[in-house]
Amino acid sequence: MKDISYKNVKITDGFWKIKQDMINGVTLKSVYDRFEETHRFSALDCTWKEGDPNAPHVFWDSDIAKWLEGLAYSLSFYKNDELEKIADESIEKIIKNRDENGYFNSHFLVMGERFTDRSEHELYCAGHLMEAAVAYYNATGKRTLLDAMCKYADYIEKVFVKDKSASFVTPGHPEIELALVKLYEVTGEKRYLELSKFFIDNHGANDIDKNLYRGCNGDYNQDDRPLRERETADGHCVRALYLFCGMADIAYLYNDKELFEAAERLFMNIVNKRMYITGATGSTCHGEAFTVDYDLPNRDAYAETCASIALAFFAKRMPKLNIDSKYADAVEKVMYNGILSGISMDGKGFFYENPLEIDPDFNDVNICTDGGKRFPITQRKEVFDCSCCPPNVIRFIASIGDYIYSYTDDTLFVHQYIASQTENEGMKITQITDYPTTNEIKFVIENNSKKYIALRIPAWCKKFEVNKPYTLKNGYAYIETAVNDEINLSLDMPVTFVSANKRVHSAAGRVAVMRGPVVYCLEGVDNGKDLKSVRVDIKGETEISNKEFLVPNITAKGYKEPENDALYFDATEEYIETDLKFIPYYAYANRGETEMLVWVLKK
Amino acid sequence: MKDISYKNVKITDGFWKIKQDMINGVTLKSVYDRFEETHRFSALDCTWKEGDPNAPHVFWDSDIAKWLEGLAYSLSFYKNDELEKIADESIEKIIKNRDENGYFNSHFLVMGERFTDRSEHELYCAGHLMEAAVAYYNATGKRTLLDAMCKYADYIEKVFVKDKSASFVTPGHPEIELALVKLYEVTGEKRYLELSKFFIDNHGANDIDKNLYRGCNGDYNQDDRPLRERETADGHCVRALYLFCGMADIAYLYNDKELFEAAERLFMNIVNKRMYITGATGSTCHGEAFTVDYDLPNRDAYAETCASIALAFFAKRMPKLNIDSKYADAVEKVMYNGILSGISMDGKGFFYENPLEIDPDFNDVNICTDGGKRFPITQRKEVFDCSCCPPNVIRFIASIGDYIYSYTDDTLFVHQYIASQTENEGMKITQITDYPTTNEIKFVIENNSKKYIALRIPAWCKKFEVNKPYTLKNGYAYIETAVNDEINLSLDMPVTFVSANKRVHSAAGRVAVMRGPVVYCLEGVDNGKDLKSVRVDIKGETEISNKEFLVPNITAKGYKEPENDALYFDATEEYIETDLKFIPYYAYANRGETEMLVWVLKK
C-alpha cells in the first residue's frame, strides 16, 4: 500500500478547508510573530555570546523547522509571498552559519559541546530540519535546505556510524528516524534509510544510552530495551510515538515482520489501554509520559497536543503494514479531538496540555515551592517557552490531505472523509461532503485505475448505506468501481453515550457524549458551575442544534442537584431537570475561563 | 463551663476500653521500641558530635514528649512499671543535660543556633515537653519534669518577652501556646498564661515573623495576619489547629469575645467547608495544608492523623465559650473516623495520611525525580521519619476520658457516649453503653450536685428517646435529675447514605455510608476491584452484621458493571446486582493492600 501525498489532494470545502484557511490566513503569521518576538528566528544568526540575553534554547531550531514545514505544506495550495520570503531568509541564515561539515544547531554552534548529551534535542532538531527541507523542496522546488540537510545527514552518519565519535548511540528525543526516511524517499539515497534503521535497531540496545535520565515513568528517553522486545508504550509520549513512526517506516521498507509485530503490540497497547477518548495520550505531566494501563486521569491529564499529532503520524503508517480500519479510526479520533483542542477557534491560541476536565476554582490551590499539585492551564496561550505544539498543529492541519487516500495495485483506500479532489496514479476523484457536520459522503470518480474503492466504515458507526454492492473486510467496504462512477456513502451518526472500561477509574459512572468521531463536552459558561455533579440521561432525547463551532452542538436531557448549603447531608433522589448543552470538545476554552467536563455522570 | 478531667473518668467497658487496653498492652511498648531503634531516646543523652551517625532531628523531643504524655495518661489507670522506669530515666537525662538556664532541646544542644530559625520546631518541642510534664505530674505525682519545664518556660519568657533576644517573635510551629495554658493550670502561675497570650497576640502581627517559609498554600507557618483578623483556616493544618487551641484557651481565660469570634469563624469555616466526612483536614500534601473551600480530594487527601487529633483538641475547647453540640459533634466525627484510621486494629501500625480512597494499582505510577504525582501509602507503618502521629494517637486514646463530661453551676454536660464512671465535684455517675456498636445509653446517677444533666443529641441522629422529660437547647437535651436517678437515652441509629455539597467535586454523584458517627468504606478484599464503578442502592435494604471491627459491618444492595474488554463502548443500563460489604472506615487497610473507597456511586 502506498499513500497519496497531500500534494495531490486539494481540500476543497467544509471542515478542514476552514481550518486550512485559518492556518494560512492567521496561524502561520501569528506563530511567526511570536517566534520572532521570542528570539527564535534571530537565533539562526548564531551571534549569541556568553553574557548576552536570550540564549538560544536547545530545541528552538525544531520550532523554526516545524513552522517552515507547515508553511511549505500551506504554500502548495496558498500563495504567501511574505512568509515565503521569511522562510528563504531563514534558510539562508542556516546555510551561512552552518559548519563546513554540514552541522547546524543554533544552540550548539554558540554554546555547549556537540553530540555529548543524549537527552538534549540535538538530533531531534536535525530531524525536524530534514522534514522541513523535504517539505519545502516538495512545495517550492527550492533545494537549498534539502541539499544542506543531506550534507548534515551525511555528517551525522559519519559521527554516529562510521567514527562512532559521539558520546551516545541513539537520540534521547527520537524524531530523526522518521525524518531520515523522508530524506531517503525524496532523494532515493539509501544511506539515509540505513542510518534511520541504525537508530531504530540501536534504541535500548546500548548500555551507553541507558540511564541518562530515568527519573520519570521509566522509559523517558526510550532506552529501556530494544524496540523489538517492547510490550507496552512507556515513557515520554512524544518521544515514544515519533520513535514508533520510524519503527513502522523501517518495518515497512525492510519488510521486517518482527519489527511490525512490535509496532502492532505498541499500537494496540495504546489504543486499547492507554489512550483518552480524545485520542490523546500522556497520563502525567511528570515525564510527559504514559504511566500504566487504564490510568487516564482527566483533570491532570497531560494529553500533549504533540503526542496526539504523533499518534496520527504513527497510525497513518500502520495500514501499509496491515490493512485494517483501526488505524484510520485512531487517526480520525485524534484528528477531531485531541489535536484540534490544541488550537483555538481563532487560530491564535494553543494548548500544550489537553485535559478532559477543567475546574478553574480549584486549579491554582497548590502553588508551592516544593512542586505542588499542578493542573493544566485553563486558557490557551499564543506561545510557550517550550512551544513545540503550535507549529506542530500548523504542519498537521496544512498536510491533512496526507491522511485521506492510499492505494494498492487494485484498490483505492479512503481513510478519511474530507471534501477534496485528487488526481494521481491514473485516478481522478472528487469527494463531496460536509462530514462530520453531516453524514453523507459522495465520491465522483472521473478516472480510476483501480478495480476497487475501499471505504473505511468507522468503528463508531453501527449502520451505514452505500449505493453499490460491497464486501466488508477489516473495516473497509470494498466496492467495484468504474469510470464516471458515483458512490454515495451514508454513515449513521446519532448522538451516542460512551462508557469507559471500568478499570478507568476516572470515568467511573460517567459517560462521554459523541456524535460520529467528535467528542463533546460541557462548559460552565453554558451549564453553570459544579458540572461534576450534573447527570445526563442516556435514555433521553437529544437534539443537534446550531453549528456554533463548525459541527452542531448537542442538547441532552439532564439533571442537576438541588441547592443545599450543608457540607454533608442525607442523600436524596431529588433532581432538577435541565437541558444540557454540549459543545465539541475541540472548541472548549474559547469563551473565557470556565469549567469543562467530558465525562458526565450517567443518570 | 469546666471540663471533668480524664483523671476522674474511668473508662469501664466497650469500644474505648478495648482501645485503651490496646494502647497500654501493645502500642506504648511498640512505639517505644521503634523510637529506641531509631535513636530518638538515646538522643536525650546529647552526646552527638559532628560526623556521628543518627543526628538528632529537630522534632525528636516532641516524639518522646508525646509518648511520655500518653504513658502518663495510661498510668492513671494501668500499672506499667517497665515503661514508667523508662520514662523516669528519660526525664533524668533531660534534667542532666539541660542548660543551667533551663533550656532543653536534644537537637539544638548539640548543633545549630538556638532560637534563630522560626520554622524549626524548637518551641513546639518545648511545648510538648511541658504537656508531658503536666501529664506526668498529674499521673504520678512526680514533679521533676514539671519543675524543669517551669524553669524552661521562665527562660523562654525571658528570651521572647523580656530580652526579645530571639530571631523571631512567635513559633513557626505553634503548640507551646496551649501547653503554657496547661502549665498555668497546674501551677497557677499566671506568667505562663501571659506568655501564651503573648504568642497568641503576636502571631501574624510581626513583620519579622512573616515570609519565612511561604511556599506552600499561603499561611504555612501561621504568620499571614493577626489571629483576630482571620476568616479562613489556612496553611499547615496541624500548626493551624494547635494554634486555634491556644486561641480558644486564651479567649476563655481572658473572656476575650473578639478572639472567641475569630476562633468561631475558623471553626465554622473548617467544619462547613474544609473538612472531610471523616473529620480529617488537609487537602494537600504540599504544605500539609488546607487549600480552599470545598477542595477535598479523596485519593490524594493529606488528612493527617495529627490534624484530626488537633481538631478534636480545638473542638473540645470551644463549648466552654459557647455551649453548642456542634463542637462535640466534630469531636465525635473525628474520634471515630479520622483519628482512629491512623492506627491499625492490632495497635502497632500507623497512618500519617488518611485518604478516603486507595487505589493500589495506580498508586506508584508516577515515581519521578521531579516530584511526581504522589499518593498516600496504602499500608500502615510502625514508625515514620517524621513520626508525630503514633504518639499523638497514644495520648489521644489514653486521655479519651477528657472528652466526656463538662459542667456549669447547675448542669452536667455529657458530650460523648462512652461506658465510664466519674466521681468528681459531688457527682457520681455511671454511663453504661456499648455505643456506637448499639444505640442505648444508660446513666446511673448515684450522686449529682447539679440540677440538670444535658445530653448531646448528635447531629446525625434524627430521632431519639429519653425516659424523662427534657428541653432541647443548642443540641443538648436538658433533663432534671435527682439522686439515684436512672436515665435511658436511645439514639436512633439507622444506616444512612450521605451526600456531599455539590461544590465538593470529588464526591459528585457519590454517597458515603454511615451508621451513627461511624463512616464506612468498601474494600477490594471484600468487594473486588474497580470499586469506583460500583453503585450502592440508597433505597435498598441494608443489614448490619458481625462485629468484625468492633462495630457491625454493613451489607447494602449494590450494582456492578458488566465485564467489557473494550476501552470505550456504548453506554448501557445493564448492571449486575450484588451485595456490598461495608466496613468501618477506621478499619481499612488491616487485611493487606487492597482498594478502598468511602464515596460510592449512588444508584
Side-chain angles (χ1 to χ4, degrees), chain A residues 216-217 284 359 365-366 368 505, chain B residues 216-217 284 359 365-366 368 505:
Chain A
C216 285
N217 296 296
T284 178
D359 205 350
V365 299
N366 274 278
C368 200
H505 296 173
Chain B
C216 285
N217 295 298
T284 177
D359 205 350
V365 300
N366 275 279
C368 201
H505 295 174

Side-chain angles (χ1 to χ4, degrees), chain A residues 110-126:
Chain A
V110 299
M111 71 175 92
E113 287 278 315
R114 297 179 204 175
F115 296 135
T116 55
D117 188 347
R118 180 173 178 266
S119 62
E120 290 298 358
H121 296 59
E122 206 167 3
L123 290 175
Y124 166 84
C125 285

Side-chain angles (χ1 to χ4, degrees), chain B residues 179 361 462 505 570 603:
Chain B
D361 291 352
K462 308 291 181 302
H505 295 174
D570 282 358
K603 169 73 183 174

Side-chain angles (χ1 to χ4, degrees), chain A residues 92-319:
Chain A
E92 261 173 54
K93 289 180 182 179
I94 292 169
I95 302 304
K96 182 181 157 211
N97 295 313
R98 66 183 166 146
D99 250 19
E100 274 176 31
N101 56 26
Y103 180 91
F104 181 84
N105 184 298
S106 69
H107 172 91
F108 285 102
L109 280 168
V110 299
M111 71 175 92
E113 287 278 315
R114 297 179 204 175
F115 296 135
T116 55
D117 188 347
R118 180 173 178 266
S119 62
E120 290 298 358
H121 296 59
E122 206 167 3
L123 290 175
Y124 166 84
C125 285
H128 274 303
L129 283 167
M130 289 172 197
E131 286 201 85
V134 170
Y136 204 66
Y137 166 71
N138 281 335
T140 63
K142 299 176 192 170
R143 55 182 307 143
T144 322
L145 188 61
L146 181 63
D147 291 342
M149 287 304 120
C150 286
K151 189 168 180 190
Y152 191 4
D154 291 341
Y155 176 64
I156 290 168
E157 184 197 21
K158 181 173 185 307
V159 169
F160 283 83
V161 182
K162 292 178 183 161
D163 299 351
K164 298 194 189 307
S165 58
S167 304
F168 51 92
V169 181
T170 62
H173 197 316
E175 136 65 6
I176 197 169
E177 300 83 354
L178 74 89
L180 286 164
V181 173
K182 288 189 176 184
L183 208 58
Y184 154 70
E185 285 171 339
V186 77
T187 63
E189 296 291 346
K190 198 155 182 207
R191 65 179 181 279
Y192 301 136
L193 182 63
E194 278 167 9
L195 181 55
S196 172
K197 185 173 188 304
F198 169 85
F199 288 133
I200 292 293
D201 286 342
N202 278 284
H203 260 284
N206 292 279
D207 286 343
I208 199 177
D209 281 356
K210 294 190 182 192
N211 301 311
L212 271 176
Y213 176 66
R214 301 297 301 279
C216 285
N217 296 296
D219 208 6
Y220 184 82
N221 279 337
Q222 309 297 309
D223 52 20
D224 198 44
R225 67 190 71 188
L227 283 169
R228 289 160 207 276
E229 295 172 18
R230 289 185 60 175
E231 300 286 337
T232 51
D234 296 299
H236 190 287
C237 290
V238 177
R239 294 173 197 238
L241 285 160
Y242 281 170
L243 182 57
F244 302 164
C245 290
M247 196 177 167
D249 282 340
I250 296 301
Y252 173 64
L253 292 165
Y254 285 86
N255 197 19
D256 184 333
K257 190 156 177 286
E258 188 193 33
L259 199 59
F260 158 70
E261 280 165 1
E264 174 73 3
R265 275 198 307 275
L266 295 168
F267 178 83
M268 295 306 285
N269 176 245
I270 293 167
V271 299
N272 283 342
K273 292 177 179 168
R274 299 189 174 195
M275 182 182 74
Y276 287 95
I277 195 169
T278 59
T281 54
S283 301
T284 178
C285 61
H286 302 290
E288 315 185 287
F290 293 103
T291 56
V292 296
D293 292 348
Y294 303 114
D295 180 42
L296 295 163
N298 294 310
R299 222 180 121 208
D300 49 354
Y302 201 66
E304 184 184 339
T305 307
C306 285
S308 289
I309 292 169
L311 178 61
F313 292 166
F314 179 33
K316 173 195 190 313
R317 283 161 166 81
M318 291 297 281

